[in-house]
Amino acid sequence: MKKTKWIWIWAAIGLVLGIVIFWPSNKGNKEAILEANAVDEVVDTTELQQVHYKYGIPSDNFEIAEGVVEKNQNLSLILARYKVSPAKIHEIAQRCKDVFDVRSIKRGQNYTLFLAKDSLRTPEFFIYEKNALEYVVIDFKETSEVYVGQKDVVKKEHTAKVGITSSLWNAMVEANTDPTLAITLSEIYAWSIDFFGLAKGDSIRVIYEQSYVEDKPLRDFNVKAAIFTNTGKDFYAIPFEQNDKFSYFDEEGNSLQKTFLKAPLKYSRISSGFSNNRFHPVLKRYRAHHGVDYAAPTGTEVYTIGDGVVVKKAYQANGGGNYVTIKHNSVYSTTYMHLSKFAKGIQPGKRVKQGETIGYVGATGLATGPHLDFRVYKNGTPINPLKMSSPPKEPVSPENMPHFTQVKDSLVNLLRKI
């Protein structure tokens, strides 16, 4: 009995000693496990950082299918290729209504489908690029929204010095400068320079900012300053804001925007000038031509050179064809002839703003080809539109002149260094 009692006592002592001896080892194992878990967590975080996104969607989780909208192709035809049912396509179109009209999908635009990585390759997302900057995301889940996203934009500043031998457009091409910059410049200088009468020896220096998306340039130009030399005279374009209005001014602080535009349409050529004795190409006889003919493709937009009221909208079979007459004030009125059609809403009595489209170039009436016959009347008498002077709008105010002078001097100094 006593022997058995001692056996139990020694067994208990051994158990306690075992716990004491092995406890540090167990504690070390626990720390090792925690450290191992911590390593696992670090690895997982690294993997998360390597996830690739496209249009804000984790693209690694999907199979990507890209395409370009073909002629006569619509959303239904595109999705049908991926076995999307007509019912599902209809449901998607209904969800898009308040955000994007699926009927406006255009030929040549890019689209992308995110497909499930399974044997069915079920479409999960459809992305349509509206333009170089914006895209529409359609999530196929019925509870998800349709939304418009925007790509990241990077702005870059450029300078250009361009000598002109023929047209500004051609000069831009020859100088390896985006020729569409010429359109922005022609709008800024529309009241100062006749872009149909540029001559060899003219030139322009310009500082401008342009946006880039995925390293591709957008055709949005923010002209920060320019000097246009035309027939030996420098025309400055200095951007300045006063009274919460942004505009361009010359070196003396006069606004470049005048009462009238220099021309009623963009990028064309003068096919016939103002004359008291011109040979008519249809009638085959000499008679007065109290206007300027601008040859341009049918459908080219024609806009009013100044604010005013439409006083005539009519058709002249043996003359000007479809024409519009606008009264600008008590002195000046203008007429636009041979239009293929009138702009929507153009009716006698309608007030129009400078630069507003009033019609489209055509060859109605007595005309051998599409062109605009543009006429200006001063106190009821026709005058040569190319020689018409135009008073400037509000100049830089006296109180703003010191600041304007500081801005101008800084920008002109930069332009001279180009």
Side-chain angles (χ1 to χ4, degrees), residues 159-177:
T159 62
K161 181 180 180 181
V162 180
I164 300 169
T165 56
S166 56
S167 70
L168 180 57
W169 183 281
N170 292 338
M172 290 287 183
V173 173
E174 292 168 2
N176 294 319
T177 301

Side-chain angles (χ1 to χ4, degrees), residues 1-9:
M1 181 68 182
K2 289 182 178 180
K3 187 176 180 179
T4 303
K5 180 179 179 182
W6 281 107
I7 291 172
W8 282 106
I9 291 172

